[in-house]
Amino acid sequence: MATDLQDLFAFLTVVQAGGFREGARASGSSASSLSEAVRRLEKRLGVRLLNRTTRSVLPTEAGARLAERLVPALGEVEAAVDVVNSFRDRPTGTLRLNVPASVARIVLPSIVTPFLKTYPEIKLEVIVEDSFVDMLAAGCDAGIRYDERLEQDMIAVPIGPRFQRFATAASPDYLNARGRPEHPRDLLDHACLRGQFAGGVIPTWEFERDGEIVRVDPSGPLMVRLGAAVDLAVEAAVGGLGVIHLFEDWLRPYFDRGALEPVLEPWWQTFTGPFLYYPGRRHLPAPLRVFIDFIRSR
């Protein structure tokens, strides 16, 4: 039975990672051992579970059905084994978090180091994705998102600053040459550096003052993938290419050293900070449980 479970875990790892090499990196094993485990499983079950090509590894219909049932089942197996952790003086194990780039950049740096120093036997894996994902199907224990992107039926715990703002800025050279906007609609006459989600959606820039909400959709010379290439847009703004609209905390170091100048600050919109979310199951893995306690204590 132990070998069967190892093969099932190997199969699910490959499906969730999208390939044998990717699964090997995620699990710390070798691609050849994962491939052999899947072959044993397919032979035992008498059905092909994965379609393998030189470019991709995708589950067959049978493989997809099996993976769908394995996610909660193997999660319960891991939870059962993790019960032993409660008898240890120091919890051990791996905590996998799925977070957007803004959280990885702004929120986690002040939390990760003290947490791992407090619990040195815990390993933390942070997967950065800005698109909406099924956190459990992605093999993660918990996620961090803003309230409008939280999954339903999840328990949410505040993490990081409770209020944040979107800031608008440009370099002093750009503003001296093009003028300083006095109203959000003035941005329609400026070169603006935009962002795009992986699914193709380009979020509008939203501003608010005294209850008035203004949304603008300016154009400009640069479009970047949100999360993956935001730093490129920031550096372009510093270089004088145009106006940027981003988290205030992300831009704060550039404000402090004078590389970027805030504009339209009375219109900057405030929003609620992020939440750690996780399924409301009865037993939580020990690494997640102590992480929740840690952020609550802060």
Side-chain angles (χ1 to χ4, degrees):
M1 183 62 178
T3 301
D4 293 352
L5 280 176
Q6 290 173 1
D7 292 350
L8 289 170
F9 273 114
F11 164 71
L12 191 58
T13 296
V14 173
V15 172
Q16 291 178 332
F20 290 100
R21 284 182 296 180
E22 294 82 357
R25 285 195 292 269
S27 63
S29 57
S30 67
S32 59
S33 66
L34 290 177
S35 179
E36 182 58 31
V38 173
R39 287 196 188 95
R40 285 196 302 267
L41 186 60
E42 288 178 326
K43 183 177 180 180
R44 187 178 302 113
L45 297 177
V47 63
R48 179 178 289 278
L49 300 173
L50 297 176
N51 287 321
R52 306 163 177 84
T53 70
T54 56
R55 294 186 177 182
S56 65
V57 177
L58 297 173
T60 62
E61 183 178 357
R65 292 284 186 88
L66 178 61
E68 182 180 354
R69 299 295 294 271
L70 283 178
V71 169
L74 294 184
E76 286 300 314
V77 171
E78 289 184 320
V81 173
D82 187 68
V83 169
V84 178
N85 245 330
S86 63
F87 293 92
R88 301 179 186 271
D89 292 332
R90 303 177 71 86
T92 65
T94 299
L95 173 61
R96 300 177 181 87
L97 298 178
N98 190 290
V99 309
S102 57
V103 167
R105 179 67 173 263
I106 298 168
V107 176
L108 289 184
S110 64
I111 296 174
V112 167
T113 298
F115 172 73
L116 292 178
K117 284 184 175 180
T118 304
Y119 299 100
E121 295 181 28
I122 290 179
K123 178 183 178 183
L124 178 64
E125 294 182 8
V126 178
I127 296 91
V128 178
E129 291 182 298
D130 278 85
S131 56
F132 183 80
V133 297
D134 184 331
M135 176 261 295
L136 292 178
C140 295
D141 300 297
I144 301 177
R145 288 293 187 276
Y146 291 87
D147 55 0
E148 73 274 11
R149 299 182 69 83
L150 288 177
E151 294 186 37
Q152 293 183 349
D153 303 322
M154 292 281 175
I155 296 175
V157 178
I159 183 172
R162 295 326 307 139
F163 295 99
Q164 295 178 270
R165 292 196 301 176
F166 277 113
T168 311
S171 72
D173 287 345
Y174 173 90
L175 294 173
N176 289 336
R178 297 286 300 269
R180 288 161 176 78
E182 297 180 0
H183 188 278
R185 293 192 184 91
D186 293 342
L187 294 172
L188 298 175
D189 296 322
H190 282 264
C192 293
L193 312 176
R194 302 296 302 275
Q196 183 179 42
F197 287 112
V201 175
I202 303 171
T204 58
W205 290 5
E206 191 167 300
F207 300 85
E208 185 173 2
R209 184 178 185 180
D210 299 330
E212 180 187 2
I213 296 176
V214 176
R215 298 178 180 89
V216 295
D217 192 20
S219 60
L222 180 65
M223 178 81 68
V224 302
R225 177 67 56 83
L226 287 172
V230 170
D231 282 332
L232 175 61
V234 174
E235 292 304 321
V238 170
L241 192 61
V243 181
I244 192 167
H245 186 68
L246 192 60
F247 291 87
E248 179 184 6
D249 293 330
W250 199 315
L251 298 179
R252 177 55 57 190
Y254 300 91
F255 294 157
D256 292 343
R257 65 173 184 257
L260 290 176
E261 179 182 323
V263 297
L264 298 172
E265 188 165 359
W267 286 92
W268 290 0
Q269 193 174 54
T270 300
F271 55 95
T272 304
F275 294 84
L276 175 81
Y277 69 96
Y278 55 93
R281 58 193 180 199
R282 192 177 311 167
H283 177 78
L284 293 178
L288 176 57
R289 186 175 63 251
V290 296
F291 185 72
I292 293 168
D293 292 340
F294 185 83
I295 63 173
R296 279 177 169 161
S297 70
R298 293 167 63 88

